[in-house]
Amino acid sequence: MNLAGEYQGVLFDMDGVLLDTMGAHVEAWVAAGVELGLEIDEHEVYLREGEKGEVSARDFIKAAGLMGTKARMRALLEAKERRFAELARAPKLFPGAIEALSVCRERGLKIGLVTGTSRAEWQDIFPIELREYLDASVTGDEVLRGKPNPEPFLTSAMQLGLPPRRCVAVENAPFGIRSANAAGCFVVAVRSYLADEDLGQAAVLVDDLAAFVTLL
């Protein structure tokens, strides 16, 4: 497979693809739930990766049998973001992250970032050494409808000046895969945390970013 010969852009998810941060997100959600008297399932957090935080907060509250009031949603989301800031001060890069971005650049591919994380959190945790590779970035608070809606990937492709069908999306979670598919991208899923049955809607599954590079 020669993706660089068929496509013009690559749209990377952040958490779980470039940065090994999902463990911190999961721990933060669970701890925030305990703080507010809610039980939040860890696997459900992984499945919902990429979703706008306020939507996750609403659904976690409803799953606990409580009314999803704005005040309760805000309290849960603020508690989660506070916990995450404490846990993700120095996020680890996945092996091969810099190489993947560098090879994309060498192949003449435009590079976008599509994340459900807010711009403020992105500013806090996204490594400076990776930012020089990006031609565009879309965060969760910059779209009206987050993943699994196609809007995040459509917005990123537009920022790159490319039709979505000319872009490869690199994802690792069901909502992101659905979002990219709906936008019309070719989707590669990395087996970061979830089993193949959770990633089955992707066109190609790879074990890691080194394997993705071989597709270029």
Side-chain angles (χ1 to χ4, degrees):
M1 185 174 290
N2 178 14
L3 295 178
E6 298 181 50
Y7 298 93
Q8 296 174 290
V10 180
L11 311 178
F12 287 94
D13 181 31
M14 182 177 75
D15 297 299
V17 172
L18 297 176
L19 303 188
D20 189 5
T21 46
M22 273 308 296
H25 278 292
V26 171
E27 186 175 343
W29 274 117
V30 172
V34 170
E35 188 176 319
L36 276 72
L38 309 175
E39 183 176 348
I40 295 177
D41 179 72
E42 292 186 6
H43 186 63
E44 184 68 17
V45 179
Y46 280 112
L47 292 176
R48 287 177 172 272
E49 180 190 338
E51 186 175 56
K52 289 171 73 73
E54 55 264 34
V55 177
S56 297
R58 179 200 65 199
D59 289 352
F60 291 147
I61 291 167
K62 288 184 176 179
L66 300 173
M67 289 285 292
T69 64
K70 289 185 178 179
R72 190 171 279 145
M73 289 164 51
R74 184 168 58 251
L76 179 59
L77 187 56
E78 288 176 354
K80 182 268 174 179
E81 291 178 344
R82 184 176 65 253
R83 296 277 187 159
F84 180 74
E86 296 168 356
L87 294 166
R89 288 196 177 98
K92 294 188 300 182
L93 296 181
F94 271 108
I98 292 178
E99 181 190 9
L101 293 169
S102 179
V103 172
C104 286
R105 177 69 70 234
E106 291 170 5
R107 300 289 195 273
L109 295 163
K110 293 184 178 181
I111 300 172
L113 186 82
V114 184
T115 178
T117 296
S118 69
R119 178 62 65 178
E121 283 189 348
W122 181 87
Q123 292 282 3
D124 286 341
I125 69 171
F126 197 71
I128 297 294
E129 63 267 31
L130 299 190
R131 299 186 190 192
E132 64 183 77
Y133 292 100
L134 301 182
D135 298 301
S137 61
V138 176
T139 60
D141 55 341
E142 294 171 341
V143 294
L144 291 176
R145 297 169 297 278
K147 302 173 186 178
N149 188 280
E151 183 181 349
F153 283 97
L154 291 173
T155 302
S156 184
M158 181 178 64
Q159 288 181 353
L160 294 181
L162 297 174
R165 68 179 182 279
R166 302 297 293 161
C167 295
V168 176
V170 186
E171 268 288 351
N172 74 300
F175 280 16
I177 293 169
R178 287 168 53 190
S179 174
N181 274 330
C185 303
F186 180 88
V187 185
V188 176
V190 183
R191 297 180 176 99
S192 303
Y193 311 112
L194 295 171
D196 286 6
E197 55 263 32
D198 297 317
L199 308 174
Q201 292 185 36
V204 177
L205 302 183
V206 295
D207 288 334
D208 50 33
L209 289 172
F212 168 70
V213 168
T214 67
L215 303 178
L216 298 172

